[in-house]
Amino acid sequence: MGVQENGSGDMGMSGVPLGSKNKYRRMDSDYSDDDLEVVPYKQTQQERSKSTRKYVFACAVFASLNNVLLGYDVGVMSGAIIFIQEDLKITEFQEEILVGCLSVISLLGSLGGGRASDALGRKWTMGIAAIVFQIGALIMTLAPTFQVLMIGRLLAGVGIGFGVMIAPVYIAEISPTISRGSFTSFPEIFINLGILLGYVSNYVFSGFPSHVNWRIMLAVGILPSVFIAFALCIIPESPRWLVMQNRVDEARSVLMKTNEIEAEVEERLSEILKAAGIGAGENQEEKAVWRELLSPSPSLRRMLVTGFGIQCFQQITGIDATVYYSPEILQTAGIQDKTRLLAATVAVGITKTAFILVAIMLIDKVGRKPLLYVSTIGMTICLCGLAISLSLFKATSLGVALAILSICGNVAFFSIGIGPVCWVLTSEIFPLRLRAQASALGAVGNRVCSGVVAMSFLSVSRAISMAGTFSIFTVLSALSVAFVYKLVPETKGKSLEQIELLFQKDRNWQEEEVELSDTQYLVQQKNDVIAN
């Protein structure tokens, strides 16, 4: 940005006219009348920043509503299954299938969601997710037999697979770089909120007859879909998807609404065009997305290992076992009364939801990797404590207290780090042309691992004891610490296009992160100059 030396019509770096009397001043000197000309610009910029933050916040909230459905289903089923057993007389094996099939079948939704979001757009894929889940929830509510209940459960799983995969991708693509981590964590907040609502629903409706209460619990899950229909009328399409459809002007319009500094819009649009292979005379033949994923380049292979690995570790450390089967775990610890069991699960839900808010406040300040370290190490300690409480102090007051403390600690550390950061990372690290499909692949790994854990937990616990099962989770959690150290880079403060470059380098993460941090510092200095 050059500044001409003379003339009353010259422009300064902020775009404010520089009169002939305008001179550089010491910061502690009095303002002249000419300095006051800058005030309207600053006020306009501040108003724009406020408006932009509110707009992106609203988009992130609306896009995350589908995740309430997943969380609610997970939370409500942990209590509803007790009454479903009484009403429909299902076996323990059927209980495992009913609980765990949602995660396995949702991988079909995740795979379909990747293709649908590339073909139809990010936001309309969210609409499809809500409709499919709503149909499934309605069938479950009215199910007269276990077989019909399973049909509804499978449909709900497909809908959840669509929603859980697309929300982080959409939010990452509309968010400004500086706050992308916080906004992309919103789906995890809403999952936790849904789990808490499910636990509360269990507690509130548990007093009804057993042939009615679980149906009411499941029916309440239909309500969020009403708000999703309203949301689709408000939120914009992803600018990156619009660019992929050659709708560049529409993409620019969305970027104008989601970027605080106007000067960054064209720069960001240019990066997206380059990443999409549009413009600058580029018209190369690209390999089919799935062919590229199945035969990846070295840099893409690193991305896939990181994204797929962190998704799997999120689940194989046993979080779904802790959430789905917390009543059974606490029964083993020594609590027998059903009302007390459901009240204890509400405490677990409150803890899980409260600590996700801590992650939101810290993720763009301290970074993704420090939160992952705190999370994985803390979970390892708590899982070990739970294994000890269920073996050495089983059926004692100390054992019950230690079990509740360990479960609450485990979900708290999960929510601080690997819970939200997992989805943030997988929505950030992949190239634009592959992002939806690669993120879907990561979500498949997540759902498969979740299903395996949920469908085998009771059987494995019967075979090697519940304490033995949590000992295995402890070892897997310890391995996740090593995985984070070796294979997960820091992505805080980097644009999606810069992160792609990070994986293309062959040097150590630390060296790359230092170089990109220096670049980010210079970019921030430029933004400060423009804003001031």
Side-chain angles (χ1 to χ4, degrees):
M1 298 181 188
V3 181
Q4 297 178 13
E5 295 181 1
N6 300 309
S8 59
D10 295 344
M11 302 296 289
M13 292 181 70
S14 64
V16 178
L18 298 177
S20 58
K21 294 180 182 178
N22 194 303
K23 303 290 182 185
Y24 289 106
R25 294 177 178 272
R26 288 175 55 86
M27 291 184 66
D28 57 355
S29 65
D30 295 332
Y31 288 109
S32 71
D33 291 339
D34 291 322
D35 292 324
L36 296 177
E37 296 177 17
V38 179
V39 173
Y41 172 80
K42 286 186 175 180
Q43 289 175 340
T44 301
Q45 184 59 46
Q46 287 171 353
E47 288 171 7
R48 176 184 171 86
S49 296
K50 249 185 227 182
S51 173
T52 299
R53 280 194 293 270
K54 286 179 182 177
Y55 185 74
V56 177
F57 177 86
C59 290
V61 167
F62 287 136
S64 303
L65 288 176
N66 266 317
N67 294 68
V68 174
L69 304 177
L70 171 60
Y72 184 82
D73 189 275
V74 169
V76 80
M77 191 54 73
S78 68
I81 194 68
I82 298 172
F83 304 106
I84 292 172
Q85 282 178 316
E86 290 181 15
D87 186 28
L88 300 183
K89 312 299 181 192
I90 64 174
T91 65
E92 185 178 279
F93 175 73
Q94 288 175 320
E95 176 187 350
E96 282 187 317
I97 294 296
L98 183 64
V99 170
C101 73
L102 182 94
S103 296
V104 174
I105 203 68
S106 65
L107 71 87
L108 297 177
S110 292
L111 285 171
R115 296 183 70 89
S117 66
D118 278 345
L120 304 175
R122 311 314 196 207
K123 83 170 188 176
W124 295 115
T125 302
M126 296 179 214
I128 293 172
I131 292 169
V132 175
F133 178 87
Q134 204 169 26
I135 294 170
L138 185 61
I139 292 173
M140 285 193 291
T141 300
L142 303 174
T145 64
F146 174 75
Q147 289 74 17
V148 177
L149 185 63
M150 279 295 297
I151 292 172
R153 188 83 169 145
L154 295 177
L155 278 172
V158 173
I160 282 173
F162 266 67
V164 80
M165 168 263 150
I166 196 58
V169 171
Y170 172 82
I171 296 170
E173 291 185 346
I174 66 163
S175 300
T177 299
I178 195 170
S179 54
R180 188 180 62 244
S182 296
F183 285 130
T184 311
S185 301
F186 275 31
E188 187 66 21
I189 293 180
F190 280 76
I191 288 176
N192 284 278
L193 180 60
I195 290 172
L196 177 58
L197 291 175
Y199 285 156
V200 171
S201 179
N202 288 336
Y203 184 73
V204 169
F205 298 116
S206 60
F208 286 75
S210 60
H211 67 283
V212 173
N213 55 12
W214 65 270
R215 298 179 189 277
I216 299 174
M217 294 172 188
L218 296 178
V220 172
I222 299 173
L223 297 178
S225 299
V226 178
F227 298 101
I228 293 169
F230 171 74
L232 292 177
C233 300
I234 296 176
I235 63 175
E237 185 52 84
S238 158
R240 288 171 171 83
W241 182 81
L242 290 171
V243 166
M244 289 171 65
Q245 305 301 309
N246 289 315
R247 293 156 63 178
V248 179
D249 288 338
E250 292 177 56
R252 183 183 288 106
S253 176
V254 175
L255 287 170
M256 290 290 288
K257 295 177 182 177
T258 58
N259 280 268
E260 295 182 13
I261 300 172
E262 214 168 310
E264 281 190 356
V265 172
E266 291 302 325
E267 182 182 343
R268 189 68 62 231
L269 183 61
S270 174
E271 287 180 351
I272 296 170
L273 286 167
K274 185 176 179 182
I278 299 172
E282 290 186 40
N283 191 20
Q284 302 174 1
E285 286 292 325
E286 295 287 343
K287 288 193 288 183
V289 169
W290 280 106
R291 197 184 313 160
E292 192 168 352
L293 289 174
L294 293 173
S295 180
S297 64
S299 60
L300 179 57
R301 189 178 299 115
R302 292 176 78 182
M303 295 175 191
L304 290 170
V305 169
T306 298
F308 194 79
I310 198 69
Q311 288 277 13
C312 291
F313 271 114
Q314 190 204 52
Q315 292 299 329
I316 62 175
T317 47
I319 189 63
D320 273 5
T322 306
V323 174
Y324 273 126
Y325 297 108
S326 52
E328 283 86 349
I329 297 168
L330 293 171
Q331 268 184 329
T332 304
I335 303 176
Q336 298 303 321
D337 181 69
K338 286 181 183 177
T339 304
R340 287 185 64 201
L341 281 174
L342 295 177
T345 60
V346 172
V348 173
I350 291 172
T351 303
K352 199 170 187 299
T353 304
F355 277 87
I356 189 69
L357 300 177
V358 177
I360 298 308
M361 290 186 288
L362 295 178
I363 193 167
D364 281 318
K365 293 180 180 177
V366 303
R368 286 57 158 156
K369 206 161 181 176
L371 290 182
L372 283 174
Y373 280 136
V374 171
S375 175
T376 51
I377 293 170
M379 286 171 62
T380 303
I381 294 169
C382 291
L383 289 166
C384 182
L386 185 54
I388 291 171
S389 72
L390 294 173
S391 57
L392 301 181
F393 306 107
K394 186 176 177 180
T396 65
S397 298
L398 177 60
V400 169
L402 183 57
I404 293 174
L405 181 63
S406 296
I407 291 173
C408 288
N410 184 47
V411 298
F413 280 113
F414 178 88
S415 292
I416 283 176
I418 199 167
V421 173
C422 164
W423 297 104
V424 172
L425 279 172
T426 50
S427 65
E428 290 179 329
I429 62 177
F430 296 110
L432 174 60
R433 66 187 180 282
L434 307 174
R435 186 169 298 138
Q437 305 281 30
S439 296
L441 196 60
V444 167
N446 182 284
R447 295 292 86 204
V448 168
C449 292
S450 170
V452 168
V453 169
M455 294 174 74
S456 63
F457 178 75
L458 292 179
S459 299
V460 174
S461 295
R462 297 282 182 274
I464 64 172
S465 80
M466 204 165 278
T469 306
F470 278 101
S471 297
I472 293 174
F473 290 146
T474 302
V475 173
L476 292 171
S477 185
L479 289 175
S480 71
V481 181
F483 179 86
V484 169
Y485 173 76
K486 189 69 178 173
L487 293 170
V488 178
E490 180 56 73
T491 58
K492 181 191 79 167
K494 302 172 180 66
S495 72
L496 298 178
E497 289 68 34
Q498 283 177 327
I499 294 169
E500 183 178 346
L501 291 175
L502 180 65
F503 278 91
Q504 291 175 1
K505 306 291 185 182
D506 294 325
R507 288 172 285 175
N508 292 330
W509 293 129
Q510 289 81 1
E511 294 175 5
E512 297 300 336
E513 285 161 12
V514 167
E515 287 182 11
L516 280 174
S517 293
D518 292 340
T519 303
Q520 200 62 32
Y521 174 78
L522 293 174
V523 171
Q524 186 60 46
Q525 294 302 305
K526 182 197 79 171
N527 291 343
D528 290 343
V529 170
I530 293 172
N532 294 318

